[in-house]
Amino acid sequence: MQYVFRLAFLFLLFTALVASCTSSEKRKIRAAKKQHEKDSLALVYDSAGADPRLDAFMQRLHRRSGFNGNVLVAKNGKIIYQNAFGWADYLHKDSLNITSQFELASVSKPLTATAVLQLWEAEKISLDQTVDEFFPNFPYPGITIKMLLSHRSGLTNYLYFTDKVWPDRQKGMTNMDVMALFEKHKPERYASPDVRYFYNNTNYMILAAIVEKVTGQDFAVYMQENVFGPAGMKNTAVYSKAVYEKIPVKVIGHDRVWRRSVVQNFQDGPVGDKGTYSTVQDLFLFDRALRDGRLLKMETQDSAYVGRSKAIKTLFNYGYGWRTFDPGNHQVVYHTGWWHGFRSLFIRDLKKDITIVLLTNMVNASLLHLDELYEILDMPVIRQAAYSAQGEFAGDE
């Protein structure tokens, strides 16, 4: 009889556990559905109600300055303007649409920093851990995750030295391949660790490699499951030439003069510093997910927006994955990007809740002529932040 009672108890316990699990899953499904509905509402755009000055300006930028790409402007969580201009592929005259995926180039860095800070929040890493704790043969001691995030490592840019030493130019490098090349060739550093700010793609390539080491997942998979998915970014992915013979997007990068297609090469393999493909709408959803605290705690974000070096012109700095600009009545975080025929600009005015995203696939100076856009949005001070110096583009390979 005791045996029967024991079986009955175990059966009841099992039933309760199954019911509890089912209830939990149902809650997750309901929450996901509710968030999907919220994201869908956030992307609702009424072109008839848009400020005609925004469209007039963008039409002129397209016509006179050669802007070829997509734009989105949002205020207080609502899209007030979006549009697509020009060709996805000039050779085949394929038109862009608002969901066209662009190589973000260095606008990938805020997304990579988000992944790293998630691991820090989960206590899987410390920002004071050094690279050689994850890669014991890494030949440069004393370089911490914190230095990588804020571009204070002093390392040389891997894009420069791998061009001479990678043996198979038809095969894309992985992040781990680049780490092995650092170990083998030991290229000279630009400076000692933590001496000064030096913008460098190597930092974020290494951060992506650390994410893979810590999680045991491919970086693209981790980003999909922990950043893009939770943020509702359905048209965003990390693509590497080490995985794909041809990156599976329709938008092609173009040269500035002859509008020739820019050919992807082995340096399109490493990711984290670049290699994220996204849309203007998805970057807006990323902005909203951050504001909602769905990806990182607010105090973690606040720490990411603090400049970690000596400010340039007293206002410009770099935090953890974000360029920063704080003129007083604004708090602006932003990033620029430039790689293989793509240029990008992502601006977030945190105080006024204004988001601007411009993604282009024609390398020209169109993104340097946005003063009127900022005037229309009553944020003329922002023009100082966005490409305060034309050389900033060159630094954002």
Side-chain angles (χ1 to χ4, degrees), residues 162-182:
T162 57
D163 189 50
K164 301 177 179 65
V165 300
W166 181 244
D168 187 354
R169 302 178 74 86
Q170 303 304 312
K171 177 185 175 184
M173 300 183 294
T174 66
N175 290 51
M176 298 303 175
D177 288 331
V178 180
M179 295 303 291
L181 291 174
F182 268 107

Side-chain angles (χ1 to χ4, degrees), residues 59-324:
Q59 294 289 350
R60 286 195 300 274
L61 192 71
H62 171 58
R63 187 172 61 254
R64 298 177 183 175
S65 300
F67 176 80
N68 191 99
N70 289 3
V71 56
L72 180 147
V73 180
K75 192 168 186 177
N76 297 322
K78 181 180 179 180
I79 298 173
I80 61 173
Y81 182 73
Q82 67 177 26
N83 212 340
F85 296 88
W87 310 111
D89 183 345
Y90 181 79
L91 178 64
H92 297 97
K93 298 296 188 290
D94 292 336
S95 296
L96 290 166
N97 60 65
I98 204 62
T99 59
S100 293
Q101 290 177 295
F102 292 75
E103 158 73 87
L104 297 185
S106 286
V107 173
S108 300
K109 290 180 172 71
L111 295 154
T112 300
T114 298
V116 173
L117 292 173
Q118 284 180 340
L119 296 179
W120 174 75
E121 283 189 346
E123 299 184 349
K124 293 183 178 180
I125 61 171
S126 163
L127 298 187
D128 292 319
Q129 282 184 277
T130 57
V131 177
D132 52 11
E133 291 183 54
F134 304 96
F135 297 90
N137 295 322
F138 190 69
Y140 312 100
I143 296 175
T144 65
I145 291 176
K146 187 184 300 184
M147 294 175 200
L148 297 174
L149 283 167
S150 55
H151 292 293
R152 295 183 58 85
S153 71
L155 292 170
T156 189
N157 194 328
Y158 78 90
L159 293 171
Y160 302 154
F161 91 92
T162 57
D163 189 50
K164 301 177 179 65
V165 300
W166 181 244
D168 187 354
R169 302 178 74 86
Q170 303 304 312
K171 177 185 175 184
M173 300 183 294
T174 66
N175 290 51
M176 298 303 175
D177 288 331
V178 180
M179 295 303 291
L181 291 174
F182 268 107
E183 294 171 9
K184 179 179 179 181
H185 296 279
K186 302 176 179 59
E188 185 177 353
R189 294 179 300 189
Y190 177 80
S192 298
D194 210 24
V195 168
R196 56 158 291 185
Y197 167 82
F198 175 59
Y199 186 90
N200 188 341
N201 287 288
T202 296
N203 297 317
Y204 277 74
M205 182 280 299
I206 294 176
L207 287 171
I210 289 174
V211 170
E212 292 187 332
K213 274 278 188 174
V214 171
T215 65
Q217 291 183 296
D218 182 84
F219 182 69
V221 174
Y222 179 88
M223 294 298 289
Q224 186 60 53
E225 293 181 356
N226 296 277
V227 179
F228 308 152
M233 301 166 73
K234 295 180 174 59
N235 295 304
T236 302
V238 174
Y239 293 129
S240 167
K241 275 284 286 182
V243 178
Y244 297 91
E245 182 176 347
K246 181 183 183 301
I247 302 298
V249 297
K250 296 179 180 179
V251 182
I252 306 299
H254 296 85
D255 183 84
R256 74 176 76 199
V257 179
W258 299 107
R259 298 192 177 187
R260 294 172 298 201
S261 299
V262 178
V263 179
Q264 300 159 350
N265 65 21
F266 64 97
Q267 291 186 330
D268 286 282
V271 295
D273 56 319
K274 51 180 173 50
T276 303
Y277 288 72
S278 189
T279 70
V280 291
Q281 290 184 335
D282 272 11
L283 286 177
F284 172 55
L285 291 177
F286 176 59
D287 165 78
R288 303 327 292 175
L290 287 172
R291 286 185 175 274
D292 292 344
R294 282 183 279 134
L295 299 176
L296 293 171
K297 298 174 183 177
M298 299 313 296
E299 54 266 35
T300 302
Q301 293 183 57
D302 289 342
S303 71
Y305 305 148
V306 173
R308 301 290 169 172
S309 298
K310 182 180 179 181
I312 301 171
K313 299 181 182 178
T314 73
L315 295 173
F316 302 97
N317 217 313
Y318 201 100
Y320 293 156
W322 295 97
R323 295 184 181 275
T324 67

